[in-house]
């Protein structure tokens, strides 16, 4: 049912339950009888709570092995990037970590301290707009309903409680080899080591893990560029091609020759034509995965709470994306709806000179074409 959630673009599990109960084809896919009830959303929640994260990761790895059997995992060029996911928690309900005071309660207290005994909603809005030092820090505020959610700016510019999904993709095939769920307040350089460890573990499961003798290219954007990251990855299993941000002035190394050598080596690799091709692929392939998984797949907003709980659902969701690569290889479409939209049929009837009839049926599905020809002979009795 969670795979159906990706292919149908359904975000909530209540909506997933309704869709599976309403569709006869999905009931057949789930191997349910005509009168057998569809598992409800509470059963999905209980099953997810009982199965640890390692089981969901094993399912993701199993799907990755199926891709490797069809040559869809090479492990030669890995693109890394992160996005944001809106959490299932309201920003207006956050409370202080030290005393549990809510945001509205804080505004009411400040209004009374300024001389307004019974502040109205307009007074609170005006006070909140004009007060100095208006910041929301994750070190001071938290959500009582989802403590793992963090205050962050989403991709559309809004400030909200959010999570940070991070993808690592095989740039040659588009397969997601690692999908991690991080706190939204952690920077790219802080989450990269955890994501690379997940990449190495999954590639080892398909016998495509990089090594110091045969390194793989790693192609992130400039948000991942730092001296410590480059120094740690230098002369290891990853050949870094991390975009370098433009900085004014001269770099001061303070005697750190290892960091200087790592930065210069990465800068030299960025000047090659191979790097230009790799960055063009990263911009195309990685951003497409976020568009299909988060936007079209219905995971841009979370309906679950807790980072581990959400990570479990996300791993199965991304596994559906990887299965779509196999579907596209076999049928020319990555989803059942895409395959259905690509199916066309043409019917033609041609009369023969001897009063016979020839019926031609042509069915086109993706890059596959099938034709059937039926010849009807004339009636000898007229």
């Amino acid at each position: 049912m969670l795979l159906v959630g990706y292919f149908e673009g359904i975000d909530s599990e209540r909506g997933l339950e309704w869709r599976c109960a309403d569709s006869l084809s999905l009931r057949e896919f789930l191997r349910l009888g005509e009168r057998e009830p569809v598992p409800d959303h509470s059963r999905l929640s209980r099953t997810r709570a009982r199965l640890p994260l390692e089981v969901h990761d094993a399912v993701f790895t199993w799907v990755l092995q199926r891709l490797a059997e069809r040559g869809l995992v090479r492990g030669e060029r890995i693109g890394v990037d992160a996005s944001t996911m809106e959490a299932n928690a309201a920003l207006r309900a956050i409370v202080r970590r030290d005393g549990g005071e809510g945001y509205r309660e804080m505004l009411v207290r400040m209004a009374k301290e300024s001389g307004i005994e019974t502040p109205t909603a307009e007074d609170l809005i005006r006070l909140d707009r004009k007060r100095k030092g208006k910041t929301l820090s994750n070190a001071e505020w938290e959500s009582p309903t989802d403590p793992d959610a963090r205050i962050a700016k989403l991709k559309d510019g809004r400030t909200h409680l959010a999570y940070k999904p991070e993808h690592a993709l095989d740039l040659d095939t588009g397969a997601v080899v690692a999908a991690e769920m991080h706190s939204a307040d952690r920077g790219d350089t802080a989450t990269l080591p955890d994501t690379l460890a997940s990449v190495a573990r999954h590639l080892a499961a398909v016998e495509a893990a990089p090594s110091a003798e045969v390194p793989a290219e790693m192609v992130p954007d400039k948000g991942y560029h730092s001296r410590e990251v480059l120094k740690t990855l230098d002369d290891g299993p990853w050949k870094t091609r991390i975009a370098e941000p433009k900085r004014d002035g001269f770099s001061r190394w303070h005697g750190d020759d290892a960091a200087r050598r790592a930065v210069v080596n990465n800068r030299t690799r960025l000047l090659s034509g191979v790097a230009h091709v790799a960055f063009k692929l990263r911009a195309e392939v990685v951003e497409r995965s976020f568009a299909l998984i988060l936007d079209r797949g219905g995971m841009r907003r979370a309906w679950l709470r807790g980072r581990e709980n959400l990570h479990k659902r996300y791993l199965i969701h991304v596994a559906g994306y990887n299965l779509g690569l196999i579907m596209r290889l076999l049928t020319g479409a990555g989803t059942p709806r895409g395959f259905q939209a690509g199916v066309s049929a043409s019917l033609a009837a041609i009369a023969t000179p001897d009063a016979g009839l020839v019926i031609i049926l042509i069915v086109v599905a993706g890059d596959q074409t099938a034709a059937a020809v039926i010849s009807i002979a004339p009636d000898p009795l007229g």
Side-chain angles (χ1 to χ4, degrees):
M1 290 179 66
L2 295 180
L3 292 177
V4 172
Y6 166 75
F7 289 115
E8 295 284 325
I10 301 174
D11 51 3
S12 69
E13 293 180 353
R14 293 178 183 269
L16 186 59
E17 174 193 351
W18 179 88
R19 181 71 180 94
C20 292
D22 182 67
S23 173
L24 293 177
S25 61
L26 292 180
R27 292 178 65 91
E28 181 181 358
F29 170 72
L30 297 175
R31 300 180 182 179
L32 296 174
E34 295 181 359
R35 299 183 180 275
E36 190 174 356
V38 174
D40 58 13
H41 64 278
S42 61
R43 186 181 299 184
L44 291 176
S45 300
R46 291 195 301 268
T47 303
R48 181 172 49 250
R50 291 170 181 170
L51 298 178
L53 180 62
E54 290 75 14
V55 174
H56 294 78
D57 187 76
V59 174
F60 176 83
T61 305
W62 183 87
V63 173
L64 202 63
Q65 291 171 343
R66 305 289 76 77
L67 267 69
E69 293 174 355
R70 291 166 173 80
L72 295 177
V73 179
R74 298 183 183 179
E76 299 174 358
R77 291 186 290 185
I78 303 297
V80 182
D81 203 356
S83 186
T84 55
M85 177 190 299
E86 183 178 345
N88 186 20
L91 186 62
R92 62 177 179 271
I94 58 176
V95 298
R96 284 192 173 274
R97 293 182 180 270
D98 49 4
E101 182 184 27
Y103 192 77
R104 182 181 178 83
E105 297 173 358
M106 181 195 69
L107 292 178
V108 171
R109 176 177 55 80
M110 295 177 62
K112 291 182 178 180
E113 292 175 355
S114 64
I116 305 175
E117 293 297 331
T118 56
T120 62
E122 290 76 9
D123 295 333
L124 297 180
I125 294 174
R126 191 182 308 110
L127 177 65
D128 187 37
R129 186 184 300 116
K130 294 183 178 180
R131 69 184 180 91
K132 297 181 179 179
K134 180 182 175 182
T135 58
L136 292 176
S137 172
N138 287 298
E140 300 177 357
W141 298 89
E142 68 173 350
S143 171
T145 57
D146 191 357
D148 292 339
R150 295 291 184 267
I151 303 170
K153 182 174 288 188
L154 303 180
K155 292 297 183 181
D156 56 5
R158 294 180 298 127
T159 299
H160 206 279
L161 292 168
Y163 286 94
K164 176 186 173 181
E166 192 166 44
H167 292 179
L169 283 88
D170 190 318
L171 295 181
D172 295 305
T173 63
V176 179
V177 296
E180 296 298 307
M181 187 65 62
H182 302 292
S183 298
D185 59 342
R186 297 184 64 191
D188 291 341
T189 57
T191 59
L192 182 61
D194 297 336
T195 300
L196 289 183
S198 179
V199 173
R201 184 175 69 254
H202 290 132
L203 289 180
V206 297
E207 299 180 354
S211 62
E213 293 76 17
V214 186
E217 295 184 23
M218 187 188 62
V219 190
D221 60 14
K222 60 184 178 181
Y224 293 87
H225 190 281
S226 74
R227 295 183 181 182
E228 290 299 323
V229 168
L230 293 173
K231 186 169 63 173
T232 303
L233 299 178
D234 197 31
D235 295 332
W238 301 105
K239 182 188 296 183
T240 59
R241 297 187 190 274
I242 305 178
E244 186 173 358
K246 295 182 179 180
R247 297 185 176 93
D248 297 331
F250 297 94
S251 299
R252 301 184 182 276
W253 304 101
H254 303 286
D256 194 350
D257 295 335
R260 180 177 182 177
R261 182 170 63 90
V263 171
V264 172
N265 290 340
N266 178 77
R267 187 180 301 166
T268 303
R269 286 191 287 266
L270 292 178
L271 300 177
S272 65
V274 176
H276 295 163
V277 175
F279 276 105
K280 184 178 180 180
L281 275 176
R282 191 205 67 84
E284 176 184 351
V285 175
V286 180
E287 293 302 328
R288 184 196 301 142
S289 71
F290 285 121
L292 294 177
I293 294 172
L294 295 178
D295 297 323
R296 191 203 62 82
M299 284 291 286
R300 181 61 73 178
R301 188 192 188 282
W303 293 96
L304 304 177
R305 289 170 178 168
R307 187 175 66 87
E308 181 174 337
N309 201 28
L310 187 58
H311 193 191
K312 293 177 182 179
R313 169 73 189 273
Y314 198 70
L315 281 174
I316 306 302
H317 206 74
V318 178
Y321 168 84
N322 282 340
L323 287 175
L325 299 179
I326 300 179
M327 293 179 58
R328 184 174 291 107
L329 181 66
L330 298 178
T331 66
T335 62
R337 286 182 178 270
F339 175 75
Q340 184 179 11
V343 175
S344 62
S346 301
L347 181 65
I350 304 175
T352 60
D354 56 352
L357 190 65
V358 177
I359 300 177
I360 303 175
L361 175 64
I362 302 176
V363 179
V364 180
D367 57 353
Q368 304 293 325
T369 304
V373 180
I374 302 175
S375 177
I376 302 177
D379 189 353
L381 300 180

